[in-house]
PDB file of all heavy atoms in Angstrom:
ATOM      1  N   GLY A   7       7.333   7.443   9.698  1.00  0.00           N
ATOM      2  CA  GLY A   7       8.750   7.097   9.708  1.00  0.00           C
ATOM      3  C   GLY A   7       9.490   7.873   8.648  1.00  0.00           C
ATOM      4  O   GLY A   7       8.895   8.597   7.846  1.00  0.00           O
ATOM      5  N   PRO A   8      10.807   7.714   8.648  1.00  0.00           N
ATOM      6  CA  PRO A   8      11.617   8.432   7.652  1.00  0.00           C
ATOM      7  C   PRO A   8      11.314   7.921   6.238  1.00  0.00           C
ATOM      8  O   PRO A   8      11.042   6.742   6.044  1.00  0.00           O
ATOM      9  CB  PRO A   8      13.052   8.126   8.066  1.00  0.00           C
ATOM     10  CG  PRO A   8      12.964   6.876   8.873  1.00  0.00           C
ATOM     11  CD  PRO A   8      11.616   6.875   9.520  1.00  0.00           C
ATOM     12  N   ASP A   9      11.357   8.814   5.288  1.00  0.00           N
ATOM     13  CA  ASP A   9      11.031   8.443   3.901  1.00  0.00           C
ATOM     14  C   ASP A   9      12.285   8.522   3.035  1.00  0.00           C
ATOM     15  O   ASP A   9      12.367   9.323   2.105  1.00  0.00           O
ATOM     16  CB  ASP A   9       9.926   9.347   3.369  1.00  0.00           C
ATOM     17  CG  ASP A   9       9.366   8.851   2.048  1.00  0.00           C
ATOM     18  OD1 ASP A   9       9.749   7.760   1.604  1.00  0.00           O
ATOM     19  OD2 ASP A   9       8.557   9.576   1.454  1.00  0.00           O
ATOM     20  N   GLU A  10      13.238   7.683   3.337  1.00  0.00           N
ATOM     21  CA  GLU A  10      14.522   7.695   2.627  1.00  0.00           C
ATOM     22  C   GLU A  10      14.415   7.201   1.186  1.00  0.00           C
ATOM     23  O   GLU A  10      15.260   7.511   0.357  1.00  0.00           O
ATOM     24  CB  GLU A  10      15.539   6.860   3.400  1.00  0.00           C
ATOM     25  CG  GLU A  10      15.820   7.435   4.776  1.00  0.00           C
ATOM     26  CD  GLU A  10      16.594   6.491   5.671  1.00  0.00           C
ATOM     27  OE1 GLU A  10      16.901   5.356   5.246  1.00  0.00           O
ATOM     28  OE2 GLU A  10      16.877   6.895   6.813  1.00  0.00           O
ATOM     29  N   THR A  11      13.373   6.447   0.865  1.00  0.00           N
ATOM     30  CA  THR A  11      13.209   5.917  -0.485  1.00  0.00           C
ATOM     31  C   THR A  11      12.255   6.743  -1.335  1.00  0.00           C
ATOM     32  O   THR A  11      12.014   6.402  -2.488  1.00  0.00           O
ATOM     33  CB  THR A  11      12.685   4.471  -0.433  1.00  0.00           C
ATOM     34  OG1 THR A  11      11.385   4.483   0.182  1.00  0.00           O
ATOM     35  CG2 THR A  11      13.625   3.558   0.327  1.00  0.00           C
ATOM     36  N   ALA A  12      11.698   7.796  -0.759  1.00  0.00           N
ATOM     37  CA  ALA A  12      10.715   8.662  -1.433  1.00  0.00           C
ATOM     38  C   ALA A  12       9.453   7.907  -1.826  1.00  0.00           C
ATOM     39  O   ALA A  12       8.835   8.181  -2.847  1.00  0.00           O
ATOM     40  CB  ALA A  12      11.345   9.347  -2.638  1.00  0.00           C
ATOM     41  N   ILE A  13       9.038   6.981  -0.975  1.00  0.00           N
ATOM     42  CA  ILE A  13       7.812   6.239  -1.266  1.00  0.00           C
ATOM     43  C   ILE A  13       6.584   7.135  -1.231  1.00  0.00           C
ATOM     44  O   ILE A  13       5.648   6.943  -1.994  1.00  0.00           O
ATOM     45  CB  ILE A  13       7.637   5.013  -0.349  1.00  0.00           C
ATOM     46  CG1 ILE A  13       6.477   4.162  -0.861  1.00  0.00           C
ATOM     47  CG2 ILE A  13       7.445   5.403   1.097  1.00  0.00           C
ATOM     48  CD1 ILE A  13       6.614   2.708  -0.718  1.00  0.00           C
ATOM     49  N   ALA A  14       6.583   8.155  -0.368  1.00  0.00           N
ATOM     50  CA  ALA A  14       5.443   9.076  -0.325  1.00  0.00           C
ATOM     51  C   ALA A  14       5.278   9.796  -1.659  1.00  0.00           C
ATOM     52  O   ALA A  14       4.153   9.950  -2.147  1.00  0.00           O
ATOM     53  CB  ALA A  14       5.616  10.077   0.815  1.00  0.00           C
ATOM     54  N   ASP A  15       6.371  10.210  -2.254  1.00  0.00           N
ATOM     55  CA  ASP A  15       6.306  10.867  -3.565  1.00  0.00           C
ATOM     56  C   ASP A  15       5.776   9.916  -4.630  1.00  0.00           C
ATOM     57  O   ASP A  15       4.985  10.310  -5.494  1.00  0.00           O
ATOM     58  CB  ASP A  15       7.681  11.392  -3.981  1.00  0.00           C
ATOM     59  CG  ASP A  15       8.156  12.551  -3.121  1.00  0.00           C
ATOM     60  OD1 ASP A  15       7.311  13.218  -2.486  1.00  0.00           O
ATOM     61  OD2 ASP A  15       9.377  12.788  -3.088  1.00  0.00           O
ATOM     62  N   ALA A  16       6.211   8.663  -4.580  1.00  0.00           N
ATOM     63  CA  ALA A  16       5.761   7.667  -5.554  1.00  0.00           C
ATOM     64  C   ALA A  16       4.263   7.403  -5.404  1.00  0.00           C
ATOM     65  O   ALA A  16       3.540   7.281  -6.406  1.00  0.00           O
ATOM     66  CB  ALA A  16       6.560   6.372  -5.393  1.00  0.00           C
ATOM     67  N   ILE A  17       3.780   7.347  -4.169  1.00  0.00           N
ATOM     68  CA  ILE A  17       2.352   7.121  -3.934  1.00  0.00           C
ATOM     69  C   ILE A  17       1.549   8.329  -4.397  1.00  0.00           C
ATOM     70  O   ILE A  17       0.502   8.193  -5.033  1.00  0.00           O
ATOM     71  CB  ILE A  17       2.093   6.807  -2.447  1.00  0.00           C
ATOM     72  CG1 ILE A  17       2.744   5.463  -2.088  1.00  0.00           C
ATOM     73  CG2 ILE A  17       0.604   6.784  -2.145  1.00  0.00           C
ATOM     74  CD1 ILE A  17       2.782   5.177  -0.604  1.00  0.00           C
ATOM     75  N   ALA A  18       2.040   9.523  -4.104  1.00  0.00           N
ATOM     76  CA  ALA A  18       1.362  10.747  -4.552  1.00  0.00           C
ATOM     77  C   ALA A  18       1.315  10.814  -6.075  1.00  0.00           C
ATOM     78  O   ALA A  18       0.322  11.264  -6.653  1.00  0.00           O
ATOM     79  CB  ALA A  18       2.055  11.976  -3.977  1.00  0.00           C
TER      80      ALA A  18
END
Side-chain angles (χ1 to χ4, degrees):
D9 191 6
E10 297 168 358
T11 63
I13 190 145
D15 292 339
I17 294 169

